[in-house]
Amino acid sequence: MSNKKKIPNATMKRLPLYYRYFKQEENNGNDRVSSKEISEALDIDSATIRRDFSYFGELGRKGYGYNVGSLLKFFLEHIQGSNVKNVILLGAGNLGSALLNYKFANIHDKMNVVGAFDSNESLIGNAINGINIFHTDDLETIIQQENVEVAIMTVPIEAGQKSAERLEKAGIKGILNFTPIRLSTGPDVTVHSIDLGVELQALFFQMKNK
């Protein structure tokens, strides 16, 4: 039986936050940080940070703290690995266009958005933030040509499930789903859903119970 610790989902979700923090500290010229400094910057208590890090072994030293360069490299490898991930966006309407204007490289310098897709003829051939918008007819071809594994999906609700099936058939292994429905995919596809309505309701609840 394997003795490998199962890493909680909550910890996995915090890894990109840690990565972004260490990236910023590197840009600021800092060589090391303490759990207290991480806690104050991310509003995560020090005990949670130490517990998160403990799942990956000894990442820091008592009295010294954490080496920024070493931790940056470590979290980069655990979030994605050392290879560049090619990403496409399906659905270049209002939400999709807003996401294309977001500077993904500020989150992850190993992420490359190779194109966006839509069926609206008025959008085809345009570029947003240097990212070309292609017709959805070209979806499978570009996924294959660019070796794309990840898709951001911002299509209308009624197109959600069929779009997911099409992406899976084309070889996509991960979908960031902004469509407010639960997608049904095979076991080889990882889906992470973000429902803005649910997130807003959660904010209202937190405000009311603060």
Side-chain angles (χ1 to χ4, degrees):
M1 180 181 293
S2 172
N3 291 323
K4 186 177 180 181
K5 292 181 180 179
K6 179 177 174 58
I7 303 172
N9 286 336
T11 295
M12 296 298 291
K13 288 181 179 180
R14 284 190 287 268
L15 293 188
L17 298 179
Y18 295 138
Y19 171 79
R20 184 165 57 183
Y21 170 77
F22 283 110
K23 184 69 174 177
Q24 184 62 54
E25 289 302 301
E26 181 188 55
N27 292 339
N28 292 339
N30 295 326
D31 295 325
R32 62 177 177 172
V33 294
S34 67
S35 57
K36 181 181 179 181
E37 289 172 316
I38 302 171
S39 174
E40 291 175 349
L42 299 180
D43 196 23
I44 303 171
D45 65 87
S46 296
T48 298
I49 293 169
R50 289 192 292 269
R51 184 170 62 249
D52 285 347
F53 288 7
S54 73
Y55 288 106
F56 305 98
E58 296 295 328
L59 299 183
R61 298 200 309 270
K62 190 174 182 179
Y64 175 86
Y66 301 96
N67 181 275
V68 171
S70 297
L71 268 292
L72 183 60
K73 181 180 178 182
F74 177 85
F75 284 114
L76 175 59
E77 291 175 349
H78 276 76
I79 293 169
Q80 173 179 300
S82 58
N83 296 326
V84 173
K85 277 280 192 295
N86 285 339
V87 180
I88 58 100
L89 181 140
L90 180 56
N94 293 334
L95 178 56
S97 296
L99 291 174
L100 290 175
N101 275 302
Y102 189 79
K103 295 193 180 299
F104 290 98
N106 290 346
I107 310 176
H108 208 310
D109 52 13
K110 295 291 185 179
M111 182 187 303
N112 179 36
V113 182
V114 300
F117 297 84
D118 206 284
S119 58
N120 185 338
E121 295 291 345
S122 67
L123 298 176
I124 311 306
N126 294 333
I128 298 177
N129 198 25
I131 301 169
N132 292 324
I133 301 176
F134 302 96
H135 197 284
T136 49
D137 289 348
D138 299 322
L139 181 66
E140 287 81 2
T141 299
I142 293 179
I143 287 175
Q144 295 299 320
Q145 287 179 346
E146 300 292 339
N147 193 27
V148 178
E149 294 184 12
V150 179
I152 302 169
M153 201 172 78
T154 54
V155 299
I157 296 176
E158 60 272 15
Q161 182 57 42
K162 286 187 176 180
S163 295
E165 292 170 1
R166 185 176 176 185
L167 290 170
E168 180 177 7
K169 188 175 181 181
I172 292 295
K173 299 300 182 185
I175 299 174
L176 181 60
N177 172 40
F178 282 89
T179 307
I181 60 171
R182 183 173 180 177
L183 300 177
S184 177
T185 60
D188 293 333
V189 178
T190 300
V191 177
H192 181 69
S193 295
I194 299 176
D195 187 326
L196 297 180
V198 170
E199 297 297 332
L200 192 58
Q201 288 178 332
L203 173 62
F204 293 159
F205 178 82
Q206 292 171 357
M207 291 169 61
K208 184 177 180 181
N209 291 276
K210 191 170 184 179

